[in-house]
Amino acid sequence: MAGLFLSPQRIDRVGLCRWAWRIAMLLKAMLLTLVCLQVSSLAETPRTVDAQRWKTQTLASIETKLQNAASDDDRLEYSARRSWLRRWKPGQMPTAPADAPDESELMEEPVLADLPRPESVDAGAWKAMVDWQKQLIASDTDDERKDNLRTTIELASQLEKSLADHLPADLQSLATPTGWSLAYARYRLGRALAYRELPEVRERWPIANPDEYESRLVAAFQRLTEQTKSGRREFILLQDRMFRRAGKKGRALELLEANRHSIEPKWYLKKRRDLLQELGWDPPYREAARLYLQAGYVDE
């Protein structure tokens, strides 16, 4: 019978052995984890080192171009490229701000139907503008914008011209709701005209007269710029597009970054990715493309 029971000393030895075994297994697991982390780190290090080397070489090239810039415009462009690239840390590119878009300082598009008719505006003209704006808002949506460009351009042109012709100067300023309605009409027109340059749009609706098209787009953007003094975040994506199409991709990238809290995450991530690709900056482009996909977005 005595053999069926363990002495206290035997129990202590068994317990110690069990604890020792558990500690050994724990240490083994920790060691395996450490090895895996080291292997992972070693796998990523060459890519990071290559990206850092590319960054150093590209910054040196930009410095040379900046020193040899022939105009103030060129200096601004190269300075913008240098500024963005200096901030970029390979493997640590930020994603879109979680709280974007911050609409606390953004002005929504006023609906003319909700506004009192200005005394100086004829009732018939006002009704026509109310109807045009209603149709324009229904046409110019995120989902159907590309398909409705003809309608959007026509409606936005009619609405802008009528507002500009019928509203007195004081009601065209951004201090008034009607002034904001005019600004949004100009923005929608400029954006729709800019969309005409997209390859999939040009395939369906070729630009027959490039010079006429260019003049129309630039003029529409100029009217918006003159009215808003170029400082409104509501219209930043059109300004970014105009920088981009003029070859000022560094300034477009910096403008995008400066206003990232006011931009829908999808458009911020997509436009950052596209600009980096157009600049030919492959390492940051690949990182931006990965972040775009990881956020759950795909190109249409």
Side-chain angles (χ1 to χ4, degrees):
M1 291 291 292
L4 297 177
F5 297 96
L6 296 174
S7 66
Q9 293 80 3
R10 180 96 180 266
I11 292 174
D12 288 344
R13 286 197 299 273
V14 172
L16 286 172
C17 288
R18 287 175 177 171
W19 278 109
W21 180 83
R22 290 174 182 172
I23 291 172
M25 291 300 100
L26 179 61
L27 288 173
K28 183 178 180 181
M30 292 174 64
L31 182 60
L32 285 172
T33 301
L34 181 60
V35 170
C36 290
L37 287 173
Q38 288 177 334
V39 170
S40 175
S41 175
L42 288 172
E44 290 297 319
T45 297
R47 181 181 298 175
T48 303
V49 169
D50 288 345
Q52 186 60 50
R53 184 183 299 115
W54 172 89
K55 174 181 175 178
T56 301
Q57 294 171 346
T58 305
L59 279 173
S61 174
I62 291 173
E63 287 289 352
T64 301
K65 293 177 180 177
L66 185 56
Q67 292 172 11
N68 298 326
S71 67
D72 289 341
D73 237 20
D74 287 345
R75 276 186 285 274
L76 285 172
E77 173 61 18
Y78 292 129
S79 293
R81 296 185 185 193
R82 181 181 63 181
S83 178
W84 190 93
L85 200 52
R86 279 177 171 175
R87 293 196 309 274
W88 175 61
K89 296 179 180 179
Q92 300 180 43
M93 182 181 291
T95 189
D99 57 348
D102 178 6
E103 299 179 349
S104 60
E105 297 183 3
L106 300 180
M107 176 66 74
E108 291 186 11
E109 182 175 13
V111 177
L112 293 176
D114 297 336
L115 302 179
R117 176 176 62 85
E119 294 182 0
S120 58
V121 178
D122 176 77
W126 182 254
K127 183 180 183 307
M129 290 187 286
V130 167
D131 290 341
W132 284 332
Q133 189 197 47
K134 182 178 179 180
Q135 295 174 55
L136 175 59
I137 292 173
S139 170
D140 189 25
T141 64
D142 287 345
D143 293 335
E144 299 180 346
R145 181 166 297 130
K146 293 177 184 177
D147 296 327
N148 296 339
L149 287 179
R150 291 178 187 270
T151 301
T152 296
I153 290 171
E154 181 180 353
L155 289 169
S157 298
Q158 291 174 327
L159 179 59
E160 182 206 357
K161 185 176 186 310
S162 189
L163 285 168
D165 288 347
H166 290 91
L167 291 177
D170 61 319
L171 293 183
Q172 294 187 31
S173 83
L174 295 187
T176 64
T178 49
W180 274 100
S181 294
L182 175 58
Y184 267 100
R186 286 172 169 160
Y187 175 61
R188 289 182 183 275
L189 174 59
R191 180 172 60 186
L193 287 169
Y195 262 65
R196 283 217 57 199
E197 292 184 308
L198 296 176
E200 62 269 33
V201 175
R202 295 187 72 156
E203 186 176 346
R204 298 196 309 265
W205 186 16
I207 298 175
N209 189 328
D211 291 338
E212 180 182 334
Y213 164 78
E214 178 76 14
S215 297
R216 191 176 184 188
L217 172 57
V218 171
F221 178 66
Q222 185 64 33
R223 293 193 297 273
L224 176 64
T225 300
E226 290 174 354
Q227 182 189 3
T228 62
K229 313 304 179 188
S230 299
R232 294 303 315 189
R233 292 182 173 181
E234 292 83 356
F235 313 124
I236 214 70
L237 290 181
L238 180 56
Q239 184 177 357
D240 202 75
R241 164 63 66 175
M242 298 303 286
F243 272 150
R244 185 173 166 184
R245 70 189 301 276
K248 301 173 183 177
K249 303 182 191 301
R251 295 177 68 180
L253 189 57
E254 282 291 78
L255 183 67
L256 194 70
E257 298 289 12
N259 294 277
R260 63 189 181 279
H261 286 281
S262 303
I263 302 171
E264 289 284 349
K266 176 179 180 179
W267 301 122
Y268 165 68
L269 293 173
K270 183 179 187 301
K271 291 179 184 300
R272 181 179 66 179
R273 179 203 66 181
D274 293 348
L275 279 165
L276 290 169
Q277 184 180 35
E278 290 172 14
L279 280 164
W281 291 359
D282 190 60
Y285 158 69
R286 284 190 280 105
E287 189 172 353
R290 176 174 55 80
L291 290 174
Y292 178 73
L293 290 175
Q294 285 179 348
Y297 302 123
V298 294
D299 291 340
E300 298 172 3

